[in-house]
Every structure is written in structure tokens, then in C-alpha cells.
Amino acid sequence: MQNFLKTKSILLIVIIVLTASRSNGQQIKPSNSGYAPVNGIKVYYEVYGEGRPIVLLHGAFYTIDMNWGQLIPDLSKTRKVIAIEMQGHGHTPFSDRNLSMTTLASDVEGVMDYLKIDSADVVGYSMGGSVAYQFAVQSPKRLRKLVIISSTYKSAGWLPIVNSAFKNFKPEFFDNTPIKTGYDAVAPDKTKWTSFLKQMLDFAKVPFNVGDSNIAKITAPVLIISGDNDGLDKTELMKTYQLLGGGVAADLQPMPKSHLAIVPSQGHVSLMMQTKIILGYLNDFLK
């Protein structure tokens, strides 16, 4: 019972922080939006601005606005921003199709095909970051640069407390929350709410691993942004950076093309609220 209450309290705290992070959401409308038919489902997308393409992949349970609402107005001033809502999220209908990192990454490529985007910078947060890693491995020719925000390519990249937390999550925890409100505001079929949650919670319980050898083969430059207390195992994070060519003595050899940024005093949710910091990193790295 104590573990149940503790888990629910943690979730409620995250929801409260998330609510605060949405208070200054985007004030612009997409220049184009719609559904791309890919892999047997319809994936919702929004397009903003003009310029070199940048694809945004949200975290679990989020919508485009929840995750990227504060960044899109600035990014779209100089870039063509393509924001995607993955299976069952936001405007994208629920589907019984099996969820996997490989399928979700294939969906991203399918949306790019539909929009005639040959290659793009890809930015993923949390679950979206895991999908972005998989995309980099599956579709290397479609990737220019990769940005991973508070995410990992394997379950073991999270601290044990993070992996164990989802084991106790129940769909009813999300009732009467801003996440439910956001879902109801845009979901094409609100009756799929519980089915969507069950599917996502089951998906979160299945260990995944894109593979050390596959990560080491990524040739595109990668920027990893992590909060110092965001739930990622920092020992594993450093191993990831080393696989990407980082962690060297740059005074004695060339600076690696991939970068690692640890933002102080930030958790997993609060990191995504640091709009100016993240935007600064993106503008510098994605030149």
C-alpha cells in the first residue's frame, strides 16, 4: 500500500509540474497539418515555418503542444518544424497495432516520405528520444543531426527506480489530470482513453535495447542533453557518449562531433521546461 501511494504521489507531482510547463504554450498556428498514412495507421503531424527541416518527437502521454509548445515559435523562425504525434497520442488515433521502437521509428520515416522530406535533424524527448535513437540506426541516410533530451537507447539506461515505477502505474492514476484533459481536447475517439493507457503502460514494462554496436555505428553528430537528476543512470550515459566518440581529452586530440550537456538542478520533467537553455543548445548544435 505504501508503494502504491508513493508511486501515485510521484505521478501527481509530475503532472503538477507538467501543468506549470504548459502555462506559456505556443501562440502560433501550423502552416500545414494533417494525417500521414503509414504502416497501417494514420499519424498526425504539424508543420511550422520554412528552412532546413527539423523533426520533433514527444515523450510518452504527451501531445505536440504539451512537449514542444514553448520551443516551436522560436524554432520555426528559421527552420521548417515537423512535429509528430505518435500512435494513440494526441490527434493520432488509437490502434491495436503492436507498439515497438522499430515500428515507431518507421512511422517517422513514413511521415517524412509523405511530406517529401529527404533528410532532417531529429529531436526526441524521453520516449521520443528512444524512438529517435532507433530512427538513427534504421534510417541513417534520412538523418542530418540527432538531439536526445533526457532519454536513452536501452531500459538499463534509466535508474532502477524509474524502471520499477511504471510497474505500479494504473490507468486510473491519470483520471482527472491535465494529461486526460489534453487527450480529450484533441483525441479523435475519446472512448479509447483507457485502451491507450493500458497499451502504453504495457509498452513501458517491456525492456528494450537498440544495441551498443548499433549506437557506435551512428555517423551523424549527436547532442545529448540531460538533467543532472533526471533519472538517467549517468554511468550508462557516459558509456553512451563514449560509443558516439565522446569522452576524450580534446586538448590532445580533435574535439568529437557529438556533444554532451548536463544541465544542473534539473529532473526529467523540469528539464523540458528550460526553454532558453534548450533553445540555446539547439541553435548552436544544429547550425
Side-chain angles (χ1 to χ4, degrees):
M1 185 63 178
Q2 286 183 337
N3 287 337
F4 173 87
L5 293 174
K6 182 178 180 181
T7 301
K8 190 168 184 180
S9 296
I10 292 172
L11 177 62
L12 290 175
I13 291 171
V14 170
I15 290 170
I16 291 171
V17 175
L18 174 60
T19 305
S21 73
R22 296 185 65 203
S23 61
N24 294 309
Q26 64 193 55
Q27 302 296 321
I28 61 174
K29 300 296 182 181
S31 58
N32 181 25
S33 65
Y35 290 89
V38 294
N39 301 318
I41 70 170
K42 296 188 298 181
V43 177
Y44 179 77
Y45 65 86
E46 293 180 351
V47 180
Y48 299 81
E50 296 291 339
R52 184 185 297 137
I54 179 171
V55 176
L56 306 181
L57 305 178
H58 61 76
F61 309 108
Y62 281 28
T63 63
I64 292 170
D65 184 52
M66 284 180 178
N67 204 144
W68 307 111
Q70 295 184 9
L71 284 169
I72 287 176
D74 283 305
L75 287 175
S76 61
K77 290 177 181 178
T78 57
R79 306 293 300 271
K80 183 174 186 177
V81 178
I82 299 103
I84 296 172
E85 288 181 335
M86 289 180 274
Q87 179 176 331
H89 290 76
H91 300 75
T92 298
F94 173 81
S95 171
D96 289 324
R97 186 188 68 168
N98 183 53
L99 276 178
S100 72
M101 293 299 175
T102 55
T103 301
L104 293 174
S106 180
D107 289 346
V108 175
E109 183 171 10
V111 173
M112 290 175 63
D113 289 342
Y114 183 77
L115 295 176
K116 297 180 171 55
I117 304 295
D118 292 331
S119 65
D121 296 323
V122 176
V123 182
Y125 167 70
S126 194
M127 182 187 80
S130 300
V131 174
Y133 271 128
Q134 184 66 47
F135 176 85
V137 170
Q138 288 181 207
S139 309
K141 294 182 179 179
R142 310 298 296 273
L143 178 67
R144 179 178 174 268
K145 291 185 177 182
L146 179 66
V147 179
I148 304 294
I149 305 174
S150 195
S151 187
T152 174
Y153 66 89
K154 57 184 178 180
S155 301
W158 295 107
L159 293 172
I161 190 174
V162 176
N163 286 319
S164 63
F166 276 100
K167 296 178 181 179
N168 298 316
F169 277 14
K170 305 292 182 183
E172 55 265 29
F173 287 5
F174 293 82
D175 291 342
N176 302 312
T177 66
I179 291 177
K180 176 66 161 61
T181 302
Y183 181 89
D184 286 343
V186 298
D189 185 352
K190 300 176 183 59
T191 67
K192 298 297 185 180
W193 166 248
T194 301
S195 298
F196 163 64
L197 291 178
K198 289 180 178 178
Q199 184 180 67
M200 286 297 296
L201 293 175
D202 288 342
F203 177 55
K205 294 173 185 176
V206 178
F208 70 94
N209 191 336
V210 176
D212 294 1
S213 61
N214 288 327
I215 297 301
K217 293 175 184 176
I218 295 176
T219 58
V222 182
L223 167 62
I224 299 173
I225 305 174
S226 174
D228 56 354
N229 292 283
D230 65 352
L232 288 174
D233 184 321
K234 293 304 183 289
T235 300
E236 292 296 330
L237 185 65
M238 194 61 208
K239 291 178 182 178
T240 301
Y241 187 46
Q242 290 172 333
L243 289 174
L244 296 168
V248 303
D251 295 304
L252 304 176
Q253 61 190 96
M255 184 70 70
K257 62 183 179 181
S258 292
H259 303 161
L260 171 63
I262 305 295
V263 184
S265 191
Q266 296 302 324
H268 182 64
V269 177
S270 67
L271 175 63
M272 200 63 243
M273 297 167 61
Q274 307 309 307
T275 306
K276 291 183 179 180
I277 292 175
I278 292 176
L279 189 63
Y281 284 134
L282 293 180
N283 287 338
D284 184 61
F285 182 71
L286 299 177
K287 292 178 179 177

